[in-house]
Amino acid sequence: MSSIFVIVVSYNRKHLLIKCINRLLSQSLLPTQIFIIDNASTDGTESYLKAQGFLDHSLITYHCLTENIGGAGGFAEGIKMAMQSGAEWMWLMDDDAMPAYDALEKLLQSPLNESCVYGSVAIGEGGERLCWPVETAFGKKLISLDDLGSPQIPVVFHPFLGFLISRKLATEVGLPDAEFFLSGDDVDYCLRIASLGGKVYLCRASRLNHPMPPRTTINILGIRIDSLVQTPERTYYNIRNKIVIARRYYGTKLWTQTTPGILIRFTISILAGPNRYRYIKAYSLAIFHGLLGKLGKYSL
């Protein structure tokens, strides 16, 4: 297979970015090109990459945006640039992804259909547990490597983390919705692909390491409830975009599933940690803006 472009979106994590790039340059099957989309970092990412010699590397194209347009905007820009440069397949990931040395080779060994998406398995550092539960197309939750039965498993969605998409499919579905800014853009993209008849597959043999997202558990009336731990700012985008996605695709499940889940998370945020006022503000605005369908970058 020819013309495989890797798209890495980065923001103020130059040390992680260097590790990710080194993993990509050590792949058993090298990509055609590595596009680094720098979301207007302020930590000296460009000068750091230059000092390490990466900006002179023949496989690396570095593009620094003039403003931070979020992960959603970064991936949209990366896909557009890669397609303009002749990419036939694009492998997307964040700067904190650490692909195994044979991750790309294993991914491309799978039977590939240009109308489908293929994803590497994200595993927590040093463990057998998946970074987050993965829902299969049949309603089963995948938690650990032991749950991965067949080589290719149809799933509801895959994050932009080892996400392989063809030029053909990207042309049909268009770019990710940059207005999501942060969180949920990958879910929306996969649901758009599904609406065109495409499928999303998790490929058991292709693996990458990724930090486990922080979580907390509290006891409410004797029931242990697990939830993500996020800053108020990230919570705003996560909740707002969940509501927008539910309005677009889920119908009445917005009220029967999405909303109750949000209320539970809101309760956990209020009970489990500091910054209660900022969380109240984040949830209130997220719900209001989500129901209005208001997207874009927003400062709390």
Side-chain angles (χ1 to χ4, degrees):
M1 184 182 297
S2 61
S3 193
I4 305 157
F5 282 52
V6 180
I7 299 168
V8 182
V9 175
S10 182
Y11 178 67
N12 281 353
R13 296 197 292 198
K14 60 186 179 184
H15 297 292
L16 283 174
L17 176 60
I18 290 293
K19 291 181 180 180
C20 178
I21 294 172
N22 280 323
R23 289 289 188 100
L24 292 171
L25 292 174
S26 301
Q27 289 293 299
S28 56
L29 177 64
L30 285 174
T32 307
Q33 195 73 15
I34 300 169
F35 271 29
I36 301 169
I37 309 299
D38 183 346
N39 237 323
S41 293
T42 58
D43 66 345
T45 291
E46 183 173 4
S47 58
Y48 189 64
L49 290 176
K50 184 176 182 179
Q52 299 290 323
F54 288 115
L55 298 191
D56 297 321
H57 198 289
S58 61
L59 291 186
I60 293 176
T61 297
Y62 172 78
H63 179 65
C64 187
L65 300 170
T66 57
E67 64 175 314
N68 180 6
I69 57 176
F75 282 116
E77 184 69 15
I79 291 173
K80 181 177 70 175
M81 289 180 60
M83 291 176 67
Q84 289 173 346
S85 299
E88 295 178 12
W89 288 84
M90 292 158 284
W91 195 30
L92 281 57
M93 64 188 67
D94 288 322
D95 52 12
D96 55 357
M98 299 296 145
Y101 79 95
D102 59 353
L104 182 57
E105 181 180 8
K106 294 292 188 182
L107 196 58
L108 298 179
Q109 285 177 351
S110 305
L112 301 180
N113 181 328
E114 288 184 330
S115 296
C116 298
V117 166
Y118 301 88
S120 305
V121 181
I123 307 166
E125 290 283 356
E128 297 289 311
R129 189 178 178 86
L130 307 188
C131 285
W132 40 78
V134 177
E135 183 179 355
T136 71
F138 311 109
K140 181 181 178 181
K141 293 283 188 182
L142 307 177
I143 305 296
S144 70
L145 291 177
D146 291 339
D147 297 329
L148 305 181
S150 58
Q152 288 187 347
I153 304 163
V155 297
V156 176
F157 92 98
H158 193 282
F160 290 154
L161 188 67
F163 182 105
L164 183 71
I165 185 170
S166 71
R167 178 189 189 90
K168 174 181 180 296
L169 181 54
T171 300
E172 292 176 358
V173 74
L175 299 174
D177 188 343
E179 287 299 298
F180 277 92
F181 188 74
L182 186 70
S183 181
D185 49 319
D186 41 17
V187 179
D188 177 75
Y189 205 51
C190 289
L191 292 173
R192 284 162 56 192
I193 289 168
S195 71
L196 296 176
K199 295 182 179 180
V200 180
Y201 291 97
L202 187 65
C203 298
R204 183 181 62 193
S206 177
R207 300 177 182 180
L208 54 80
N209 289 120
H210 184 271
M212 293 288 288
R215 308 186 74 89
T216 188
T217 303
I218 68 168
N219 192 307
I220 300 179
L221 300 177
I223 302 174
R224 291 175 59 84
I225 300 176
D226 181 66
S227 178
L228 284 172
V229 176
Q230 295 180 313
T231 64
E233 290 75 16
R234 292 189 71 92
T235 296
Y236 166 79
Y237 288 113
N238 183 276
I239 298 302
R240 182 197 70 180
N241 296 351
K242 277 182 182 294
I243 293 173
V244 170
I245 289 169
R247 289 179 70 242
R248 287 182 179 180
Y249 303 102
Y250 298 156
T252 57
K253 288 183 179 180
L254 165 63
W255 306 108
T256 61
Q257 295 184 17
T258 304
T259 301
I262 288 172
L263 293 177
I264 290 172
R265 282 190 57 186
F266 173 71
T267 302
I268 292 174
S269 296
I270 298 304
L271 295 179
N275 300 320
R276 288 183 175 85
Y277 171 75
R278 286 188 59 76
Y279 277 111
I280 291 172
K281 182 180 180 181
Y283 274 93
S284 300
L285 286 171
I287 292 169
F288 179 62
H289 291 163
L291 291 175
L292 289 179
K294 176 181 171 62
L295 290 171
K297 186 176 182 178
Y298 188 82
S299 297
L300 287 178

